[in-house]
Amino acid sequence: MGWTDSDASKASAPKTPSFLITAFLLLATILVHGNAINGWWLYDDPQLVIHAMENSAGSILFSPDAYRFLASHTFTPLLSLSFKLDFALAELDPRGFYLHQFLALALCVVLLFLLLRRYTRQSIAIVTTLAFILAPPTAIIARTLMMRHYLEGLLLASGALLLWECGGRGPGKTDSAPMGVARSPETFFHWSDIAAALLYLGAMLAKEIYAPLPLLMMVEAIWRGVRFREMARRLIPTVAAGAIFIVWRATMLGSPGGYGELPSIASIARLPFTILKESFNGSPAAVMIAGALLLLTLVTGGLIVSRRRWAVPVGAFALFALLPIVPLAARFELRYAFVAFLSLLVATAIASRRSIFSPRMTMALHIALCIVLAVASFYQLRQFGSVTAAMEAEGRYVWSAKSDAPALLASSPGWYLAGLGTLRQTRGAGLAPRFVLSREPMMSGEVATSNIVQSHWASAAITPLTADDKEQIRLEAGRFDATIPLSFTFRRHQHALVWNLEPAQGGSWLFLTHPYYGRYPIPSTGRNRIPDAKERQYFRVRRDVGDGRWNLSPVLELPTEGRAVSWSGTQAP
């Protein structure tokens, strides 16, 4: 027999003291993610530390010039402020940063459970929170400092939802009591509504993906039967916070922001599958099993074909999950699935309240999902560990090797290694050894093959180039052809780099940063939003034709805002 509303309301009454459940969930968080505290700098971490060190809190929040040294496509100042706090407490010890990250995750776990238990059975709230702890996106974000804003944004958003819900209940009311409690005439807004609006603003300043949060607030009000006029009045502070953020963001970025790449209709249509695929590292078996379990839990809830009152929250969480990431459908990454996948878990938890199955069967579905998530996270972390081990090996070489050590042919991002070099000087360890990100400087004679080492991603070892490597470089250098036509224009407009390369047909193009020689394949025409720079930046362009020959432009300076640089010729210097 299916659950009725009255049955669910009775079943949601706490049976186990909340402090015991909280202790259990925190213990699970420690067991699954406690080892993340031993992590090291990865990806954008060094640049975030530099940005936090070199700018005051006021500059990060209110100075467009200071903020755009970090990014010009997105406005997430609380991430830099969070790193600023860590640097003040732990200086350049990454363990202090990771401890902060773990504490943010632990608080998210507690608040998630407190929210879930208001709308579903306590047992389902527990197992859904466990599913969040075990989910692959959570596992990766817990171990990546540069993604902390997803956690802290979730923390602030969860707090805003709890305060919003509390504002709809007065003294002596139960969790299932209707909203619209009478207030004294001298107060127009309840204090919790204003506090919720402030936390909502903080969540957006952490990560813009939490902007649709008022949608969930409205659904919560509708679900509890509040009058429209009461709901609209209570939403005024939240709407004001949203308007402040929009103006604030536009002022700081000086442009609409975004990556400048519009998704196709096909990529948007595939988005739900893409979320699952990225969440499970592309494993077909995990995607099919987890997708089937999630779909089964939703459909058997009967929400789509039964009472609209129960369909509304599930649909709202679906919109909350998908709306902010639709613009990113064309270049989707694992971290974008974090909030979307969590929203999917919450929707299944709410759906279970109207399941046509027995409580035992419904619980079995959720437990099975937890098992699938645990296995998927295990394999996800294995791959993550192999990638980050090699990155850490290269980073530590830049961090600690002598300045006159052999140059490193690296596979890590140049942004990452350059940041480590800057932090090395900050701690008084002198200049870092040179690194390059491709073989171009060896083919052009800038770096001798006898004075370079490379990392091996399989073993994370740093070794000299082999004889085969040197021979391949020699052969490719011999295919240089200065007669290949090469012409282009680059200009910077609204903090985006816009380019046109000719001839458009008959070859492929590489954008090469200088002096690190990072390689970026680019189309013949395009645009991409990039951060502002404190120093002068340089680049080269390489054109490859189908028979293996290639040509290379001279080193040119990247244009500043509102300016352009062009080059045309058939002879490289």
Side-chain angles (χ1 to χ4, degrees):
M1 180 179 294
W3 283 76
T4 65
D5 290 351
S6 59
D7 292 335
S9 179
K10 293 175 183 177
S12 63
K15 297 178 181 179
T16 305
S18 295
F19 76 90
L20 290 180
I21 298 173
T22 301
F24 166 73
L25 293 173
L26 290 177
L27 177 61
T29 306
I30 293 171
L31 292 175
V32 176
H33 301 297
N35 62 349
I37 296 176
N38 298 319
W40 206 63
W41 309 117
L42 300 171
Y43 301 106
D44 293 350
D45 299 348
Q47 294 293 344
L48 286 165
V49 176
I50 293 169
H51 189 249
M53 286 169 37
E54 294 183 347
N55 296 281
S56 66
S59 296
I60 292 170
L61 287 169
F62 302 113
S63 171
D65 291 336
Y67 181 79
R68 288 199 292 258
F69 287 139
L70 180 68
S72 61
H73 64 282
T74 185
F75 182 50
T76 57
L78 286 197
L79 180 57
S80 291
L81 294 180
S82 183
F83 272 59
K84 193 172 190 67
L85 174 63
D86 290 351
F87 179 72
L89 297 176
E91 295 186 339
L92 292 178
D93 185 348
R95 292 172 298 180
F97 288 72
Y98 278 100
L99 178 60
H100 180 162
Q101 190 109 334
F102 175 81
L103 293 175
L105 173 61
L107 288 173
C108 285
V109 167
V110 172
L111 292 188
L112 176 61
F113 168 72
L114 293 177
L115 279 170
L116 284 171
R117 72 173 186 171
R118 298 174 183 270
Y119 306 109
T120 189
R121 290 181 289 141
Q122 186 182 80
S123 57
I124 294 296
I126 294 171
V127 77
T128 302
T129 306
L130 282 175
F132 167 71
I133 294 170
L134 294 169
T138 306
I140 299 303
I141 285 181
R143 291 159 176 80
T144 313
L145 293 176
M146 62 170 265
M147 299 182 190
R148 179 187 295 169
H149 49 331
Y150 285 86
L151 283 176
E152 295 191 330
L154 176 61
L155 183 63
L156 293 167
S158 299
L161 284 176
L162 280 170
L163 286 170
W164 166 264
E165 197 274 342
C166 289
R169 295 182 287 114
K173 296 291 182 180
T174 63
D175 284 353
S176 58
M179 296 175 67
V181 178
R183 296 182 177 84
S184 56
E186 66 272 9
T187 59
F188 189 76
F189 299 122
H190 194 267
W191 69 267
S192 60
D193 297 338
I194 298 174
L198 292 174
L199 290 183
Y200 168 56
L201 178 60
M204 290 187 291
L205 292 172
K207 185 60 182 173
E208 297 146 320
I209 202 169
Y210 295 102
L213 190 67
L215 173 66
L216 300 185
M217 293 178 171
M218 288 188 290
V219 166
E220 204 278 339
I222 294 170
W223 189 74
R224 290 185 177 274
V226 68
R227 295 186 302 274
F228 177 79
R229 180 178 296 179
E230 170 75 3
M231 178 180 66
R233 181 179 61 78
R234 293 190 61 211
L235 277 172
I236 291 175
T238 300
V239 172
I244 290 171
F245 175 76
I246 291 172
V247 174
W248 195 347
R249 179 183 185 275
T251 302
M252 292 296 288
L253 296 184
S255 70
Y259 290 95
E261 181 179 357
L262 295 177
S264 65
I265 299 298
S267 64
I268 295 174
R270 292 194 303 267
L271 198 52
F273 175 77
T274 303
I275 292 170
L276 281 176
K277 181 181 176 183
E278 289 294 329
S279 297
F280 293 98
N281 198 29
S283 168
V287 169
M288 287 189 292
I289 294 172
L293 289 170
L294 289 166
L295 185 62
L296 184 62
T297 307
L298 284 169
V299 172
T300 56
L303 301 176
I304 299 174
V305 294
S306 67
R307 301 187 181 184
R308 285 177 295 176
R309 178 172 179 249
W310 289 95
V312 166
V314 174
F317 271 101
L319 286 174
F320 177 76
L322 296 177
L323 281 178
I325 58 177
V326 165
L328 303 171
R331 47 189 303 172
F332 201 84
E333 298 179 22
L334 172 64
R335 63 181 183 270
Y336 304 148
F338 176 70
V339 176
F341 193 75
L342 172 59
S343 299
L344 193 56
L345 291 177
V346 173
T348 58
I350 296 174
S352 69
R353 190 167 177 176
R354 292 287 298 168
S355 176
I356 61 175
F357 290 137
S358 66
R360 183 174 297 177
M361 183 62 183
T362 303
M363 176 61 71
L365 285 173
H366 285 270
I367 292 175
L369 178 61
C370 283
I371 294 172
V372 172
L373 290 172
V375 173
S377 288
F378 173 77
Y379 286 103
Q380 182 83 290
L381 287 176
R382 281 185 59 183
Q383 182 180 22
F384 178 79
S386 64
V387 171
T388 56
M391 182 180 295
E392 182 175 339
E394 293 184 349
R396 288 189 181 276
Y397 185 85
V398 171
W399 186 259
S400 58
K402 295 181 179 180
S403 59
D404 59 352
L408 173 67
L409 175 57
S411 300
S412 300
W415 176 265
Y416 163 71
L417 296 174
L420 286 175
T422 301
L423 291 181
R424 169 182 171 139
Q425 291 181 272
T426 299
R427 67 188 180 94
L431 294 174
R434 182 177 180 180
F435 68 87
V436 294
L437 306 174
S438 67
R439 295 178 173 184
E440 265 76 12
M442 287 172 278
M443 291 187 294
S444 62
E446 289 185 37
V447 178
T449 56
S450 59
N451 190 38
I452 196 161
V453 293
Q454 64 180 343
S455 65
H456 298 270
W457 283 71
S459 61
I462 306 291
T463 63
L465 292 180
T466 66
D468 288 342
D469 292 328
K470 294 177 182 179
E471 179 62 16
Q472 290 177 9
I473 292 171
R474 187 189 68 80
L475 291 175
E476 188 171 357
R479 291 192 285 268
F480 168 75
D481 186 348
T483 65
I484 297 174
L486 179 60
S487 179
F488 55 80
T489 297
F490 284 83
R491 62 187 178 90
R492 191 175 291 198
H493 176 64
Q494 289 189 338
H495 311 285
L497 192 64
V498 185
W499 64 85
N500 181 64
L501 304 126
E502 295 178 350
Q505 304 297 326
S508 59
W509 303 88
L510 285 173
F511 181 89
L512 304 172
T513 62
H514 189 274
Y516 305 127
Y517 284 94
R519 295 165 58 103
Y520 301 94
I522 56 175
S524 57
T525 60
R527 63 180 287 131
N528 194 31
R529 223 169 278 283
I530 59 175
D532 291 349
K534 297 179 181 178
E535 67 284 336
R536 300 169 71 180
Q537 295 178 302
Y538 300 89
F539 73 101
R540 305 181 84 167
V541 173
R542 170 172 162 164
R543 182 186 177 210
D544 288 73
V545 294
D547 58 5
R549 294 177 299 126
W550 56 278
N551 193 6
L552 191 66
S553 77
V555 177
L556 299 170
E557 185 174 356
L558 205 64
T560 55
E561 180 67 25
R563 296 184 177 275
V565 61
S566 299
W567 187 83
S568 180
T570 57
Q571 182 68 41

